[in-house]
Amino acid sequence: MIRLVLLFLAFLSSSTSHANSITDLCVADLKAALNPAGYPCKKPPLTVNDLVFSNFKAGNTSNILKASPTPAFVAQFPAVNGLGLSAARVDLDAGGVVPMHTHPGATEMVIMVQGRITTGFIAADNSVFVKTLKEGDIMVIPPGLLHFQVNAGGKKATCFVTYSSPNPEPQILYNALFGSSLDSDLVARTTFLDLAQVKKLKVKFGGSG
Ligand SMILES: *[C@@H]1O[C@H](CO)[C@@H](O)[C@H](O)[C@H]1NC(C)=O
């Protein structure tokens, strides 16, 4: 009996000694459905290319935001499935902006690489935390709070961003209000904006209602 227990303990310790092996990874099978725990795992064997994202590059900033956020979330980078982290790269032209948004459930860390970016958030008690960051600065944005970035110089600026979630899909405030089908009258009444202004913004951002 004692021998059996010892054998069992030896088995346990040998299996935990592999706790950091490649088998602990669950690279997302993006063809399966996303559920609250993430994606199911891609079938083995894995290769090193499953763990590399090669598209972390400046995107096209010829848009209304003069910005190109490049996400490396689970949908673009399946390796982060289940790992509690992901990243993005944000390139801002002069005048560029990442509009007010939140990442429900994800803490964000902004890592400045080039140029100057003013970033900030509004806390739940409405206290305001704003800072113009330069190369070498890092700033934390707490989870779930409304925050933004704007280019603070006359030149291109770049920051890398990490998140405490593999899927920190943002909810963008202007899209929620003016790109959705929420009735314009309800938007006006709940934001104290003029109805005419709401209708104008609905057209601009593709909303209805
Ligand atoms: C960037 O986007 C604009 C507008 O969609 C387009 O006209 C332009 O060709 C794009 N530039 C590149 C390099 O893809």
Side-chain angles (χ1 to χ4, degrees):
M1 182 63 189
I2 286 179
R3 280 180 85 174
L4 257 181
V5 170
L6 286 177
L7 255 175
F8 181 67
L9 287 178
F11 168 77
L12 266 188
S13 78
S14 79
S15 58
T16 52
S17 73
H18 291 104
N20 291 319
S21 79
I22 187 87
T23 54
D24 277 355
L25 286 175
C26 175
V27 174
D29 174 4
L30 295 180
K31 288 191 218 97
L34 179 62
N35 64 64
Y39 287 92
C41 310
K42 183 181 167 176
K43 285 206 172 61
L46 299 180
T47 75
V48 68
N49 289 332
D50 286 311
L51 312 181
V52 174
F53 180 66
S54 296
N55 219 11
F56 215 50
K57 297 171 186 159
N60 190 336
T61 52
S62 299
N63 53 54
I64 188 175
L65 305 177
K66 298 184 182 166
S68 73
T70 303
F73 302 167
V74 67
Q76 298 80 29
F77 189 22
V80 298
N81 189 44
L83 293 185
L85 84 175
S86 63
R89 146 180 201 147
V90 180
D91 294 273
L92 294 173
D93 275 349
V97 53
V98 176
M100 201 69 85
H101 65 284
T102 74
H103 306 276
T107 307
E108 172 171 334
M109 189 156 71
V110 180
I111 303 165
M112 278 304 295
V113 174
Q114 186 196 337
R116 294 164 77 82
I117 290 176
T118 300
T119 186
F121 63 88
I122 302 158
D125 66 358
N126 291 329
S127 51
V128 170
F129 294 78
V130 176
K131 177 88 176 168
T132 297
L133 304 178
K134 58 183 187 319
E135 186 184 331
D137 291 341
I138 290 180
M139 180 166 164
V140 164
I141 312 279
L145 298 180
L146 282 166
H147 62 283
F148 63 88
Q149 275 104 25
V150 298
N151 190 326
K155 290 184 259 174
K156 273 181 181 294
T158 302
C159 63
F160 291 169
V161 183
T162 63
Y163 302 92
S164 63
S165 160
N167 192 26
E169 281 299 340
Q171 182 175 36
I172 300 167
L173 187 58
Y174 77 79
N175 272 335
L177 293 174
F178 312 120
S180 75
S181 63
L182 183 61
D183 185 78
S184 292
D185 189 50
L186 285 175
V187 175
R189 286 172 62 191
T190 54
T191 59
F192 298 94
L193 293 169
D194 289 344
L195 183 58
Q197 177 68 12
V198 170
K199 286 189 181 285
K200 219 165 96 181
L201 290 166
K202 284 266 188 185
V203 170
K204 180 167 175 153
F205 296 112
S208 58

